[in-house]
Amino acid sequence: MPSANTNQASVETRTLPTLGAMNETLPGKIVLAVCASAFVAICAHITVPLPFTPVPLTFSDFAVLLVGLTLGPVTGFMALTMYLLEGASGMPVFNPHGLGGVAQLFGATGGYLIAYPFAAAIAGAVSRTLARITPRFIAGLAASVLASSALMVTGTIWLGFVGHLSATTAFALGSAPFIPGQIVKVCAAAGIFASLQRFRRA
C-alpha cells in the first residue's frame, strides 16, 4: 500500500508539469504576467530614497531580472508591459517616492521604467540560449548582467536628458551609486533561477 509520502510525491509530480504548461498557452501567460506584475509592484515599494540623486535604491530591478529569467522573454515582456500600463493608469505600483501615473514615466526614473520590458526579455532570451551550452547559474548570471546593463544605460541616458546633465554627472547620479547593489541583485537572480531550474527537473 503506498505511503503518504509516495502519494504526496505523486501529486507534486502531476502539479509541476501543469504549472510549467501555463507558460505554453496564452491564458496561462496572461495569468503569469498578472502575478509577475504584482510581484514587481511589491518590490518597487521596497525602496530607499537617496539624498544625492533623484534615483532611489529599489528592488524592482531585481524583480525585473527574476521575472525575465523565470518566465522567459515573451511572458516577461508581457508582465512588465502590463506593469507599466498599470502604473500609467494611476495604480500605485511604481516607486512611492515618484510622481505617480504617466508623470513618473516622463520623470527622472522614466528611462529605467521604460526599459523594464526589454530588460526582462533580454534576461529571458539570453538565459534560455546559454542554458543549452553552459551551467544554469552561468547562463542566468550572463543574462542578468546584460539585462541589468541595458537597464542602467537606458535609465542613465534618460536621466541626463531630462535633467540636462553631462554624461559624467548622469553616470555619477544614475549608475555609479548602484553598481555594488546591482552585482548582488544579479547574483541573487541567477542563483534563484538556477535553483528553480534544478527543482523543475528533479
Side-chain angles (χ1 to χ4, degrees):
M1 185 173 183
S3 65
N5 288 339
T6 302
N7 290 335
Q8 182 179 359
S10 177
V11 170
E12 289 177 352
T13 301
R14 291 194 299 269
T15 302
L16 287 176
T18 301
L19 293 175
M22 287 180 66
N23 208 16
E24 301 299 324
T25 65
L26 181 58
K29 288 180 185 293
I30 292 174
V31 171
L32 290 174
V34 170
C35 294
S37 68
F39 172 63
V40 176
I42 292 171
C43 290
H45 282 70
I46 305 174
T47 180
V48 178
L50 302 176
F52 54 85
T53 174
V55 182
L57 179 65
T58 178
F59 276 86
S60 56
D61 50 352
F62 165 75
V64 170
L65 297 177
L66 194 56
V67 166
L69 291 174
T70 55
L71 299 186
V74 176
T75 310
F77 186 90
M78 286 175 56
L80 273 302
T81 300
M82 187 177 297
Y83 171 75
L84 295 184
L85 292 175
E86 291 166 354
S89 70
M91 294 177 64
V93 298
F94 291 155
N95 155 38
H97 298 285
L99 299 173
V102 175
Q104 195 149 337
L105 295 176
F106 291 95
T109 60
Y112 303 95
L113 290 171
I114 295 299
Y116 279 1
F118 303 98
I122 290 171
V126 174
S127 63
R128 277 150 180 73
T129 300
L130 293 182
R132 301 168 187 164
I133 56 175
T134 64
R136 290 181 288 270
F137 176 76
I138 299 300
L141 189 65
S144 295
V145 168
L146 289 175
S148 181
S149 297
L151 187 62
M152 296 298 289
V153 168
T154 305
T156 300
I157 291 174
W158 178 259
L159 176 64
F161 174 74
V162 298
H164 305 287
L165 307 174
S166 67
T168 302
T169 302
F171 177 78
L173 296 179
S175 289
F178 307 102
I179 292 175
Q182 288 302 115
I183 294 173
V184 174
K185 293 173 188 176
V186 161
C187 292
I192 294 173
F193 167 70
S195 298
L196 290 175
Q197 292 300 309
R198 283 194 295 270
F199 176 71
R200 288 174 180 173
R201 296 186 182 187

